[in-house]
Amino acid sequence: MKSDSNLEKVLAAGNFAVTGELGPPRGANLQAIKDKASHLKGMVDAVNVTDNQTAVVRMASWAVSLVLKEMGMEPNYQMVCRDRNRLAMQSDILGAAALGINTMLCLSGDHPSFGDHPQAANVHDIDSIQQIQMVANMRDQGRFQGGAEIDTPPRLFVGAAANPFGDPFELRVLRLGKKVAAGADFIQTQCIYNMERFAEYMRQAVDMGLTEKTKLLAGVTPLKSAGMARYMAKKVPGMDVPDEVVKRIADQPKDKQAEEGIKLLCEQIEQLREMPGVAGIHLMAIEWEHRVPEIVERAGLLPRPQV
Amino acid sequence: MITAERKPMEEIFRLIEPYGKILLVGCNECVTVCHAGGRKEVAMLASALRMGRMKLGAPLTVDELTLERQCDPEYAEELAMVVDQYDAVCSMACGCGVQTVAERYQGLPVLPMVNTEFMGSSESNGVWAERCAGCGNCVLGLTGGICPIARCSKRIFNGPCGGSTKGKCEVSPDIDCAWQLIWDRLKQLGQTELYSQIMAPKDWRTARDGGPRRIVREDMAI
Ligand code: SF4
Ligand code: SF4
């Protein structure tokens, strides 16, 4: 084992993993975290804690991760390259690891122009692939990015994100390959709605042997309404929502759309479980944490393994 | 002016290794002024490359040309008649010139022979210094005509930091402390009250942080 990560153990034991997501509050509200987290406890193997998601300021990802840890959950500490240089990253990583955080996810981060501080200078000192390499080297070689030795190296299960749907398509698997080569132990993908295209992506990933070197969790997000489906289809960069999917939700009366969204999601999870190379799902129930127990139950993903 | 310096010879030889016939193109503007890529430098590099490759036993044909301004499509067009004869174009212009030529001649490798460095001015013969970081919203009117972004090592807007010593920056005794310069100049101008105001956090969108920038002058577009 590379770490004490619950996610690592669940995957190593050959289980189909389930990860969830929690967006920290936009204030110093501890109770808000606990309330949201309570819905996820026992339902998922690790909870992604987003880092200033969509370039909007929120409570520190490491702090919220620590709260989850204290609640007996496994946080997946997210860190974006947008907001800090390599010094800040490495010091945060050491702090998080020392406080018992075992799993982290390396990301570039959305551009500040999308967020609440569009005036901000963005850092991007290193990119997400360099970041993966940096964390993996900190752990495996006990070296800082600058080369100096680390007295007690952090033990982290290192993850990365992948979007199978951005363009150009032929670069998507190659980029996944780069992340794996950089040392990503696991991958969580962008939300998948176009199953055919994703299956093609997985075929290529499996052919290249990538899924033997890393654990790939397929991203899913329940569509709560036709409005959300249309928004995802039109407004979210790099997202591929086929017309049939939007139509299927939109064809339902307003009060049945959420239910249809969950039904669709369960079908998708079923398909993903059958797909070669998929080691689990990453369930991003954006501001719908309270529905997670119902979703994982209906998708037949309970109980979560105790490892 | 945009400043540049010729790349190290080893790197240049590595870049051109696959090619047998190249066109070496200079630029008459900034890189001529900073002696990095004008007609004279083109001639010098061309003969160094010919000789170097001769020694390596892989002779190279190098033709020379220097454009009026390589960052302008109008002048880049002048290469149209001849570029077909070459395996690659090697450019001694700044990165803008290289990209203008590359954009015009899509199928042709266009290789940079210089490292483009900064926007600076000439301090004395053979010395160029950084003066502007192209932030897109100039504050020189508030800082005595000295740029806190390009010339302060920490980009401090309300300096000087605690490391300022005898007029020099903490980063190196070779660097003037921008805030010492700003303060001296504000005193000279009788504008010291400008310093007492706290300068607000900058909107970096006008700089590179808002994404790549463009200027569109509707009145001039055809
Ligand atoms: S304030 Fe901005 S535009 Fe003015 S000199 Fe400095 S970097 Fe250049
Ligand atoms: S010493 Fe002066 S120039 Fe250097 S970082 Fe401090 S304020 Fe800026």
Side-chain angles (χ1 to χ4, degrees):
Chain A
M1 288 285 157
K2 294 174 174 174
S3 67
D4 297 316
S5 163
N6 182 56
L7 182 61
E8 180 177 10
K9 290 178 198 149
V10 167
L11 287 163
N15 299 291
F16 190 79
V18 182
T19 54
E21 187 158 293
L22 187 149
R26 298 210 63 208
N29 186 343
L30 181 61
Q31 198 52 45
I33 307 165
K34 292 187 171 170
D35 291 347
K36 268 191 182 179
S38 64
H39 302 296
L40 299 170
K41 190 162 184 193
M43 301 293 142
V44 294
D45 307 315
V47 177
N48 282 39
V49 181
T50 57
D51 180 16
N52 289 342
Q53 190 178 357
T54 63
V56 167
V57 177
R58 291 165 182 277
M59 194 189 288
S61 176
W62 66 263
V64 176
S65 294
L66 197 59
V67 175
L68 297 196
K69 189 83 199 174
E70 281 165 359
M71 290 174 70
M73 300 164 73
E74 176 73 23
N76 180 13
Y77 167 38
Q78 294 194 185
M79 183 186 276
V80 298
C81 299
R82 177 195 58 227
D83 301 340
R84 36 178 94 56
N85 71 1
R86 59 191 94 178
L87 272 84
M89 286 186 181
Q90 292 179 95
S91 76
D92 282 356
I93 288 164
L94 292 181
L99 295 171
I101 291 165
N102 306 311
T103 312
M104 83 170 275
L105 191 79
C106 300
L107 302 162
S108 310
D110 294 321
H111 194 271
S113 57
F114 298 105
D116 67 344
H117 289 76
Q119 314 85 346
N122 46 108
V123 184
H124 296 297
D125 177 24
I126 56 174
D127 68 23
S128 56
I129 290 176
Q130 295 159 344
Q131 184 190 21
I132 295 164
Q133 214 161 33
M134 179 177 83
V135 189
N137 287 343
M138 286 172 80
R139 177 192 64 202
D140 300 334
Q141 272 141 45
R143 296 261 168 208
F144 287 110
Q145 203 274 334
E149 208 170 311
I150 303 175
D151 159 344
T152 305
R155 294 184 74 230
L156 290 155
F157 193 47
V158 185
N163 182 4
F165 305 107
D167 289 319
F169 184 62
E170 66 266 32
L171 264 196
R172 289 296 135 190
V173 178
L174 294 181
R175 184 160 153 89
L176 173 67
K178 270 192 169 184
K179 291 196 170 180
V180 174
D185 301 311
F186 69 99
I187 300 286
Q188 291 170 319
T189 78
Q190 167 79 290
C191 340
I192 299 154
Y193 294 104
N194 188 338
M195 280 292 163
E196 255 169 60
R197 202 158 167 204
F198 182 65
E200 174 52 35
Y201 174 88
M202 284 312 297
R203 259 193 301 277
Q204 293 180 21
V206 171
D207 281 353
M208 283 172 67
L210 297 177
T211 51
E212 278 160 36
K213 297 187 196 130
T214 197
K215 298 290 185 187
L216 191 137
L217 313 189
V220 286
T221 289
L223 293 169
K224 299 184 221 178
S225 65
M228 176 178 175
R230 285 193 201 103
Y231 180 83
M232 296 280 237
K234 298 227 164 63
K235 290 272 152 60
V236 182
M239 185 83 80
D240 181 347
V241 190
D243 293 342
E244 317 86 81
V245 170
V246 178
K247 188 168 181 308
R248 176 166 163 186
I249 307 294
D251 280 352
Q252 296 294 319
K254 262 214 152 61
D255 59 330
K256 298 260 164 54
Q257 290 178 349
E259 169 57 27
E260 192 63 25
I262 293 181
K263 225 157 89 195
L264 171 72
L265 180 72
C266 292
E267 292 166 22
Q268 289 171 332
I269 294 172
E270 197 54 50
Q271 281 174 279
L272 290 166
R273 288 180 88 155
E274 301 297 316
M275 211 177 273
V278 176
I281 57 155
H282 176 46
L283 175 59
M284 293 164 273
I286 310 158
E287 295 305 312
W288 231 21
E289 287 82 4
H290 61 285
R291 302 292 292 267
V292 167
E294 179 194 345
I295 293 171
V296 287
E297 161 92 69
R298 282 175 59 180
L301 297 166
L302 290 183
R304 297 313 308 149
Q306 299 298 313
V307 284
Chain B
M1 165 182 73
I2 295 173
T3 62
E5 280 181 299
R6 206 203 60 223
K7 279 184 176 289
M9 287 308 282
E10 313 81 71
E11 187 185 346
I12 293 182
F13 278 115
R14 237 180 296 126
L15 278 170
I16 62 165
E17 202 190 316
Y19 309 109
K21 191 174 183 201
I22 63 167
L23 181 62
L24 188 60
V25 188
C27 175
N28 263 337
E29 298 276 349
C30 309
V31 289
T32 293
V33 183
C34 67
H35 302 273
R39 199 180 308 270
K40 200 173 90 213
E41 291 75 28
V42 166
M44 275 164 26
L45 180 61
S47 50
L49 292 180
R50 286 186 204 110
M51 285 196 307
R53 284 279 292 257
M54 196 73 83
K55 255 196 246 158
L56 292 172
L60 178 75
T61 306
V62 187
D63 288 339
E64 304 163 30
L65 197 73
T66 295
L67 301 180
E68 200 46 45
R69 193 159 58 240
Q70 218 181 102
C71 60
D72 204 328
E74 196 181 313
Y75 294 108
E77 197 57 40
E78 289 172 13
L79 302 177
M81 302 295 284
V82 295
V83 283
D84 286 354
Q85 308 161 24
Y86 300 95
D87 304 332
V89 168
C90 294
S91 168
M92 295 196 79
C94 74
C96 305
V98 177
Q99 293 183 60
T100 304
V101 172
E103 201 169 319
R104 169 63 182 81
Y105 305 102
Q106 293 280 337
L108 197 71
V110 182
L111 311 167
M113 298 291 108
V114 304
N115 288 325
T116 306
E117 310 212 344
F118 50 82
M119 286 190 271
S121 48
S122 177
E123 272 185 351
S124 60
N125 235 353
V127 181
W128 292 271
E130 182 154 27
R131 286 289 181 268
C132 171
C135 78
N137 188 5
C138 195
V139 299
L140 289 178
L142 301 172
T143 57
I146 290 142
C147 176
I149 304 172
R151 300 184 67 180
C152 165
S153 305
K154 297 178 186 167
R155 299 204 290 201
I156 294 179
F157 280 83
N158 293 283
C161 76
S164 176
T165 309
K166 299 200 178 86
K168 297 296 174 185
C169 173
E170 71 171 45
V171 168
S172 156
D174 299 332
I175 301 172
D176 289 326
C177 169
W179 276 98
Q180 177 78 56
L181 298 177
I182 293 172
W183 180 242
D184 292 346
R185 190 90 202 290
L186 288 178
K187 279 200 294 201
Q188 205 173 31
L189 296 171
Q191 294 181 342
T192 49
E193 78 287 350
L194 282 177
Y195 180 74
S196 346
Q197 298 165 26
I198 293 183
M199 280 176 87
K202 190 174 169 62
D203 183 341
W204 290 102
R205 278 175 298 187
T206 55
R208 183 60 184 68
D209 302 76
R213 296 166 283 173
R214 281 174 99 198
I215 295 175
V216 179
R217 281 277 302 267
E218 302 285 358
D219 55 331
M220 300 182 62
I222 342 170

